[in-house]
Amino acid sequence: VTLAGPETATEDRASRSAPSFEDLLAEMSSTLLRATTDQIDGEINRWLRRIAFAFGIDRGSIGQINHVDGLLYTTHQWSRQSVTPMPHSMNANEIVPWLTGKIMSDELVVLSRLEDAPPEAAKDVQFGRTMGTRSVVTVPFKVGGVVVGAVAFDAVLRRRTWSQRTIRRLSLFAEIFGSALQRSRTAAEIRRLQSEVRQISQIVMMGEVTASLAHELNQPLGAILSNAQAARRLLNAKTPDLKEVGTALDDIISDNTRAVETIRNVRALFQRVELTTSSLDLNQILLSVERILRSDAKTREVSLRFELPASLPAVVGRGTELIQALINLVVNAFDSISEAGAGPREVVVRASQNGPTRVHIAVRDSGKGIDPSIMPRLFQAFVTTKSKGMGMGLAIARSIIENHGGRLWATQNPERGATMEFYLPADGNAANPG
Ligand SMILES: Nc1ncnc2c1ncn2[C@@H]1O[C@H](COP(=O)(O)OP(=O)(O)OP(=O)(O)O)[C@@H](O)[C@H]1O
Ligand SMILES: [Mg+2]
């Protein structure tokens, strides 16, 4: 068979007409090095073609083993028009077991005639025939020190012999392909990890939003239920006290309003939505907390005392959020007292001005104190020592206080119980909370 034309140039013709090997190598490594990760694949295909033209090769292909499904994927290839392209993927262990073994043990395979393959390569030879392969060089390449695939250079239109020099040169090309692929694989891996992290953090965040809502709705829903039950009891009386019923209904309405606002706030807390803020009188906020928790304190037989100065500097923020944060701290104090069993049952909420720029608030209880083992993770979501706890109360309180430019921390009392304290920047100092 005689074939002419540039497409079937022999090695000698190629070295006379085409750029020198050194030029080709230099250009290839610099283009592949400069290519951005989304250009690499296109560049590799282009270089397979150029190498084929320069070396009289009819099909150049890169196969990469996927360690998840065990298949060999043809990730890049170029072949002359009349030449069958490599299949997109195949079970290499089944179809070309001998070659696969060679590749995986990082061995070069050079066959000037397909028939030169050893008898154990029977399956491989059969596949080679269906692909029209007459001569082949296969060079394994590694990523991160591990063989991940091979570059195959096939002669199809006519058989050819491979000189030592050609083999060395093809091996160098394969090495450059390998390092380019390493770069694009690393980029792909980073992208995969990034999207995984994004998904996980979205799931975590959804979990926290859901838990926060459940947590913050517990208190108002409980209050609504007990007021509704009170109203029903009052109406069952022979001569119902309609004024009392009215009070219960008013409480239900205000608890409901608080629940609705809570839903909005919790969403805003995690979505970083800007909510409108206003100048707040902390004494008013503390009195609201007192009113909301008064009946809880009574049923739990805890004395809840507020020590408030005549006046406090205003703080800028959202009142319902600060009320929520304080409720969480006081309810924890109630829980701690209940768990302690015997002993004084007292919660004191004290507010004071702390220098010209800060307001300080402390919730001190006579409970069992904070379990030292959870101290380092106290404010993390889902950290709890209670059988029915969600571990959300302190996480929510901290994020509210910090969104207001303040800080929240915990200390054990010297005698008994714990104190949860926080400060808030006074109006005009929000940007400089210290
Ligand atoms: N005043 C306190 N005294 C002692 N331990 C406390 C006090 N406040 C919080 N803790 C400890 O911190 C843990 C976390 O509190 P947090 O309010 O975040 O969750 P929780 O109260 O367990 O559950 P919930 O989500 O229902 O509020 C509690 O389980 C408790 O062990
Ligand atoms: Mg709690």
Side-chain angles (χ1 to χ4, degrees):
V1 193
T2 28
L3 288 157
E7 290 220 334
T8 53
T10 64
E11 191 178 335
D12 284 337
R13 279 195 52 179
S15 54
R16 257 184 277 118
S17 57
S20 77
F21 165 72
E22 285 74 19
D23 291 345
L24 208 62
L25 195 68
E27 192 188 337
M28 176 179 169
S29 44
S30 78
T31 340
L32 285 178
L33 209 64
R34 266 187 286 112
T36 62
T37 49
D38 34 307
Q39 290 170 340
I40 285 179
D41 289 337
E43 280 298 329
I44 289 176
N45 286 330
R46 204 167 70 81
W47 279 97
L48 281 171
R49 176 174 177 277
R50 281 197 70 176
I51 293 166
F53 278 129
F55 285 79
I57 287 159
D58 303 312
R59 181 173 51 221
S61 60
I62 296 180
Q64 298 188 62
I65 309 260
N66 180 336
H67 291 289
V68 177
D69 57 16
L71 297 183
L72 180 75
Y73 287 83
T74 305
T75 54
H76 304 78
Q77 68 174 325
W78 178 83
S79 49
R80 290 181 202 274
Q81 230 155 43
S82 54
V83 170
T84 319
M86 278 289 168
H88 166 258
S89 66
M90 61 173 152
N91 185 340
N93 282 321
E94 287 279 316
I95 296 170
V96 282
W98 174 77
L99 183 64
T100 307
K102 292 281 179 197
I103 293 172
M104 293 324 278
S105 47
D106 198 14
E107 277 178 59
L108 208 65
V109 170
V110 181
L111 295 172
S112 291
R113 293 166 357 132
L114 203 59
E115 297 70 37
D116 292 345
E120 59 269 28
K123 279 189 172 178
D124 305 64
V125 170
Q126 199 191 336
F127 174 72
R129 286 209 180 97
T130 64
M131 296 304 295
T133 309
R134 298 194 185 189
S135 318
V136 60
V137 173
T138 307
V139 190
F141 68 88
K142 297 179 179 178
V143 165
V146 179
V147 176
V148 294
V151 186
F153 302 101
D154 299 341
V156 176
L157 301 180
R158 54 185 278 189
R159 178 179 305 145
R160 60 162 298 164
T161 54
W162 311 96
S163 70
Q164 281 307 315
R165 196 178 62 165
T166 302
I167 294 168
R168 260 198 320 277
R169 292 177 168 186
L170 293 179
S171 302
L172 275 172
F173 290 132
E175 208 170 291
I176 296 172
F177 282 138
S179 56
L181 286 169
Q182 165 148 16
R183 201 149 64 83
S184 68
R185 284 167 76 117
T186 310
E189 178 69 0
I190 290 172
R191 268 197 303 278
R192 193 184 63 74
L193 287 174
Q194 277 172 341
S195 82
E196 211 165 84
V197 167
R198 254 198 309 279
Q199 265 173 23
I200 290 172
S201 53
Q202 269 165 13
I203 291 167
V204 168
M205 182 149 129
M206 272 178 57
E208 290 188 1
V209 172
T210 313
S212 306
L213 265 180
H215 186 272
E216 300 302 85
L217 289 178
N218 248 347
Q219 202 282 331
L221 288 179
I224 288 170
L225 178 65
S226 58
N227 274 309
Q229 286 166 336
R232 150 128 356 257
R233 251 194 332 272
L234 289 165
L235 287 175
N236 279 347
K238 276 222 174 70
T239 46
D241 183 342
L242 291 181
K243 196 161 160 274
E244 277 289 298
V245 173
T247 311
L249 289 177
D250 284 344
D251 282 351
I252 288 174
I253 291 168
S254 83
D255 284 330
N256 182 75
T257 309
R258 201 153 52 81
V260 169
E261 266 178 67
T262 297
I263 292 171
R264 216 180 44 225
N265 289 345
V266 166
R267 273 180 54 200
L269 209 60
F270 288 91
Q271 289 179 341
R272 311 233 152 265
V273 171
E274 283 296 318
L275 286 179
T276 49
T277 55
S278 52
S279 186
L280 305 167
D281 179 353
L282 268 182
N283 271 341
Q284 287 306 316
I285 284 173
L286 289 161
L287 289 175
S288 304
V289 173
E290 205 265 294
R291 207 174 48 244
I292 291 164
L293 291 178
R294 195 185 297 145
S295 66
D296 284 18
K298 213 160 116 196
T299 25
R300 302 183 71 160
E301 298 173 333
V302 174
S303 127
L304 175 60
R305 213 169 69 235
F306 282 75
E307 293 180 3
L308 310 179
S311 77
L312 282 171
V315 300
V316 175
R318 291 167 293 276
T320 34
E321 283 185 16
L322 293 176
I323 289 172
Q324 272 176 283
L326 279 156
I327 289 175
N328 290 350
L329 301 183
V330 176
V331 169
N332 277 347
F334 288 172
D335 290 346
S336 175
I337 289 168
S338 304
E339 283 175 45
R345 305 176 69 84
E346 199 176 56
V347 177
V348 180
V349 181
R350 185 180 289 136
S352 59
Q353 183 164 351
N354 183 311
T357 59
R358 287 177 181 178
V359 181
H360 178 261
I361 293 180
V363 178
R364 190 164 54 85
D365 67 61
S366 60
K368 68 176 176 75
I370 296 162
D371 182 338
S373 71
I374 62 155
M375 208 41 150
R377 297 173 298 129
L378 194 63
F379 294 95
Q380 285 174 22
F382 307 117
V383 170
T384 181
T385 56
K386 301 168 194 171
S387 57
K388 287 189 180 138
M390 287 202 286
M392 286 309 293
L394 290 182
I396 294 169
R398 172 168 273 189
S399 100
I400 289 172
I401 299 300
E402 290 184 353
N403 282 354
H404 280 76
R407 269 186 55 69
L408 170 67
W409 68 99
T411 46
Q412 308 274 24
N413 298 336
E415 347 71 66
R416 55 178 297 141
T419 301
M420 307 299 301
E421 297 172 75
F422 63 89
Y423 69 75
L424 290 171
D427 196 356
N429 292 285
N432 186 21

